[in-house]
Amino acid sequence: MFGKFALAKYRPFTVTFYTFVVAAITLLLFTNLLEKGSLLVSGEVILYVLGLGLFPTVIAYLLYTKGLEKMESSKASIIATVEPVAATLLSVFLYNENFGILQFVGTVIILLSVILINLPKTTYKINAKKASV
């Protein structure tokens, strides 16, 4: 929600940069990360940090923030709930996870919500008038 207000004055890259700077400082204040600094300098850890930090975190957030320029924040937050659906489906197909009735119901609810939020507003008005008659 704050991203939409910030985008009125700043570019998406700037908003994303300061978001992560504030998040990093906050994490440093509330974790013992600096005490374990020697563990963080190994090549493998650096590759994981770059891989997990850059692709699924920074780039995804940057694209989300860029999308807020063209969309209402309330709509964007509902559309973002598709992420667990994608993760669930990937776990089913890639890792043979179970897909039970609760996962199915949750997936349907999320997808219906995203579809409803993207219907043209005229559809809502027409259906509301029919329902009130």
Side-chain angles (χ1 to χ4, degrees):
M1 290 174 53
F2 297 112
K4 189 71 172 178
F5 295 116
L7 286 171
K9 187 173 182 180
Y10 302 103
R11 296 182 60 218
F13 182 80
T14 306
V15 173
T16 303
F17 176 78
Y18 284 112
T19 298
F20 282 100
V21 166
V22 170
I25 291 169
T26 304
L27 282 174
L28 287 174
L29 293 174
F30 293 102
T31 64
N32 296 328
L33 191 61
L34 294 177
E35 295 174 8
K36 298 176 182 170
S38 62
L39 298 172
L40 300 175
V41 292
S42 74
E44 187 178 6
V45 171
I46 291 172
L47 284 175
Y48 283 129
V49 167
L50 288 175
L52 290 173
L54 187 61
F55 295 107
T57 306
V58 174
I59 292 174
Y61 192 82
L62 183 62
L63 291 172
Y64 178 78
T65 305
K66 181 74 176 158
L68 282 177
E69 285 182 323
K70 311 248 187 275
M71 179 180 292
E72 302 164 21
S73 57
S74 59
K75 216 181 222 190
S77 64
I78 292 172
I79 292 172
T81 62
V82 170
E83 182 183 353
V85 172
T88 300
L89 294 176
L90 283 172
S91 72
V92 168
F93 292 114
L94 295 178
Y95 302 111
N96 295 322
E97 294 275 336
N98 292 332
F99 190 74
I101 188 71
L102 288 177
Q103 287 85 356
F104 176 76
V105 170
T107 298
V108 169
I109 290 171
I110 289 171
L111 293 177
L112 285 175
S113 299
V114 171
I115 290 167
L116 287 174
I117 199 74
N118 284 300
L119 288 176
K121 290 185 180 182
T122 56
T123 305
Y124 291 125
K125 291 177 185 174
I126 292 169
N127 290 335
K129 286 180 183 177
K130 286 180 184 177
S132 66
V133 173

